[in-house]
Amino acid sequence: MKFPDNFVWGVATASYQIEGAVNEDGRGESIWDRFSHTPGKVLNGDTGDVACDHYHRYKEDVALIKELGVDSYRFSLAWPRIFPQGTGEYNPKGMDFYKRLVDELLKQGIKPAVTLYHWDLPQALEDKGGWLNRDTAYYFRDYAVKVFQELGTSIDTWITLNEPWCSAFLGYGNGHHAPGKTSETDFLVATHNLLLAHGLAMEAYRDMGLPQKIGITLNLSPYYPASEKPEDLKALQRADGFQNRIYLDPVFKGKYPEDLTDALAVIEPLIQPGDMELISKPIDFLGINYYTRGIIGADKDGNVVHHRGENPHTAMDWEVYPEGIYDLLQRVHKDYGPIPLQITENGAAYEDTVVDGKVEDEERRSYLERHFAQCLRAIEDGVPLEAYFVWSLLDNFEWAWGYDRRFGIIYVDFATQERIMKRSALWFKDFLRTQR
Ligand code: FCB
């Protein structure tokens, strides 16, 4: 495999999943602190209190990133470190951590790719309604402006939001994620306010005239029909609408999908003059997180049903389907392009074990290799894919699954904080050498 010379390779993490140090240097409470400390919400009662202790070990972790030989490191900022109450008083000590981290990355020649929001909303804002409150979008803009001012030109790539579907649906729709609310309507309200937040940050960024790339990251799923029966195809269209087009259409076309009439009935009254123009401000690239495909059919009442694919599944019970990343890239390129694309996350969880100080994670290695191959195929077929980030650098706090699901290419012993490069990391390192 030989990727284009200017292709950017990276590894990715997120603040709450790795940092720990939740009470340090004036950090405020986030919805994930509250949620993970609520009994029954996270497997085994795990919390992000310590996580990978990255807040204290960031130098060691940057050294590992350097050793891998990647070009870029994607990480997120914890909003409650910077504005402990979400709005109002600024906490320079929290920002200083990110300045130290960015300095260290630049010193090692690694390009910082920063996500502004990877789910750790300040709890104080949730107390005012969180993403159900339109004001949160404006608070997000103010937070983003402060970050743009402070970190400015040292950042290579900006991402406004990570996976608004997860914030909206898992957070307010089915309650599997913080803040754990459960309402179909709230999912849609949160969706619009999140997209508005993205648009407001985009506008502020352009007004400031900053030169680097900025985009948004969506978790998109390529969907395949269970059969060619009309009812299955209809279910497929609906599933695709609620997962993919409900974010893609506003961002690229400035409107919500017209076929989702029930969703529109909720969202349309929320749209204020100018919202859709903000939401569809041109982005420099689209970030895509891809893990698996979906096979969609209808039950006897026409409801969407997910079928199980025939290929091996990961520890998340997600089917391994590398062709899906190719189909997805092609689809986005055709329906929404031309727009530069980045894979901002791709990876797999497996039950790793340490034997004689080594982790032989052949399944993860092969997962990565097969997905790389499909990315290359997409590039060769004309898709403007410019970057790929492995999820994840480290084993970490996998949200509702706590520390039970390991996605790292580097193993973390959570009792000692020892890091061990798994076979997949060693292979990735060798692979990157062949690309230079
Ligand atoms: C994505 C999240 C990321 C991680 C992976 C496995 O949805 O963005 O934080 O949890 O899934």
Side-chain angles (χ1 to χ4, degrees):
M1 278 190 259
K2 181 69 181 86
F3 281 72
D5 286 339
N6 58 353
F7 193 79
V8 172
W9 291 97
V11 283
T13 64
S15 45
Y16 190 73
Q17 296 183 276
I18 65 165
E19 286 177 359
V22 291
N23 291 317
E24 255 167 89
D25 295 331
R27 177 186 178 277
E29 189 188 10
S30 82
I31 54 173
W32 271 95
D33 298 290
R34 181 69 63 89
F35 188 76
S36 65
H37 281 271
T38 306
K41 298 295 186 193
V42 175
L43 188 64
N44 302 319
D46 290 341
T47 74
D49 288 2
V50 179
C52 304
D53 195 31
H54 172 76
Y55 194 79
H56 300 116
R57 294 167 196 265
Y58 72 93
K59 279 196 181 165
E60 184 192 331
D61 292 337
V62 172
L64 289 167
I65 296 168
K66 172 82 183 163
E67 199 184 323
L68 286 170
V70 293
D71 308 293
S72 183
Y73 172 48
R74 174 180 176 233
F75 59 98
S76 76
L77 308 189
W79 182 350
R81 285 200 193 280
I82 295 167
F83 288 95
Q85 302 301 309
T87 175
E89 208 182 325
Y90 166 60
N91 178 37
K93 274 190 164 178
M95 186 72 91
D96 282 348
F97 168 66
Y98 297 112
K99 289 185 177 168
R100 292 196 294 278
L101 172 60
V102 167
D103 283 350
E104 190 65 21
L105 289 165
L106 295 177
K107 205 167 95 192
Q108 302 290 354
I110 299 154
K111 296 175 181 165
V114 168
T115 309
L116 289 167
Y117 185 71
H118 200 130
W119 309 353
D120 36 5
L121 186 74
Q123 180 63 41
L125 293 188
E126 180 54 36
D127 295 342
K128 299 180 188 170
W131 289 113
L132 304 180
N133 179 357
R134 187 177 163 98
D135 293 345
T136 301
Y138 294 88
Y139 298 139
F140 176 77
R141 186 219 18 224
D142 298 345
Y143 151 66
V145 165
K146 187 69 187 168
V147 173
F148 295 149
Q149 285 166 348
E150 295 291 320
L151 298 180
T153 51
S154 47
I155 304 307
D156 181 71
T157 300
W158 295 97
I159 295 167
T160 55
L161 306 179
N162 178 69
E163 304 187 347
W165 180 88
C166 291
S167 304
F169 184 72
L170 303 179
Y172 296 87
N174 74 5
H176 290 187
H177 280 185
K181 301 267 168 66
T182 49
S183 143
E184 179 75 14
T185 310
D186 288 354
F187 154 54
L188 298 165
V189 176
T191 289
H192 184 67
N193 289 333
L194 280 152
L195 284 171
L196 179 63
H198 158 75
L200 288 164
M202 285 298 307
E203 179 187 54
Y205 189 79
R206 298 300 188 211
D207 285 351
M208 288 170 77
L210 289 167
Q212 288 84 10
K213 278 181 285 209
I214 185 165
I216 185 172
T217 280
L218 303 177
N219 55 313
L220 303 176
S221 228
Y223 283 145
Y224 304 84
S227 82
E228 295 300 317
K229 282 190 221 140
E231 52 274 31
D232 284 348
L233 295 176
K234 210 168 150 216
L236 175 86
Q237 184 187 344
R238 188 165 168 82
D240 178 55
F242 276 96
Q243 177 75 45
N244 303 320
R245 289 182 289 118
I246 200 169
Y247 298 98
L248 287 164
D249 284 15
V251 168
F252 287 101
K253 301 179 173 168
K255 56 180 203 274
Y256 287 97
E258 270 154 25
D259 54 315
L260 305 180
T261 45
D262 47 346
L264 278 184
V266 177
I267 293 180
E268 261 173 357
L270 307 173
I271 303 175
Q272 294 192 11
D275 282 10
M276 300 317 290
E277 288 74 22
L278 285 168
I279 293 171
S280 58
K281 284 230 166 265
I283 50 178
D284 298 318
F285 70 95
L286 176 71
I288 297 176
N289 294 351
Y290 173 79
Y291 289 93
T292 188
R293 68 164 165 176
I295 304 171
I296 309 293
D299 69 9
K300 60 175 184 358
D301 302 316
N303 299 312
V304 169
V305 181
H306 286 256
H307 291 248
R308 196 178 167 79
E310 74 277 12
N311 297 292
H313 286 58
T314 69
M316 297 295 281
D317 206 26
W318 295 345
E319 187 189 11
V320 180
Y321 193 69
E323 293 80 4
I325 206 169
Y326 175 88
D327 292 345
L328 179 60
L329 286 166
Q330 282 286 15
R331 187 266 174 113
V332 172
H333 176 55
K334 272 205 214 92
D335 291 358
Y336 300 94
I339 177 81
L341 301 176
Q342 301 197 4
I343 295 295
T344 41
E345 288 180 26
N346 176 237
Y350 286 104
E351 284 173 28
D352 301 309
T353 46
V354 186
V355 179
D356 298 330
K358 294 194 174 123
V359 181
E360 296 296 341
D361 59 336
E362 170 53 26
E363 288 165 304
R364 182 178 294 102
R365 190 208 64 74
S366 143
Y367 179 102
L368 294 176
E369 185 174 37
R370 294 174 63 200
H371 285 77
F372 291 5
Q374 293 296 328
C375 288
L376 182 56
R377 201 181 128 215
I379 294 170
E380 287 168 353
D381 290 348
V383 174
L385 178 66
E386 57 183 27
Y388 175 104
F389 294 81
V390 174
W391 184 271
S392 180
L393 172 69
L394 302 168
D395 291 337
N396 59 47
F397 176 81
E398 179 45 40
W399 309 113
W401 297 99
Y403 299 100
D404 196 78
R405 298 291 193 278
R406 293 179 176 271
F407 271 94
I409 56 172
I410 296 177
Y411 185 91
V412 177
D413 179 333
F414 291 104
T416 63
Q417 292 295 344
E418 190 194 353
R419 275 88 161 125
I420 302 171
M421 284 220 188
K422 301 180 191 176
R423 172 64 51 207
S424 55
L426 299 170
W427 172 82
F428 187 37
K429 184 177 155 186
D430 286 346
F431 169 84
L432 290 171
R433 290 234 175 86
T434 67
Q435 298 300 306
R436 306 303 181 204

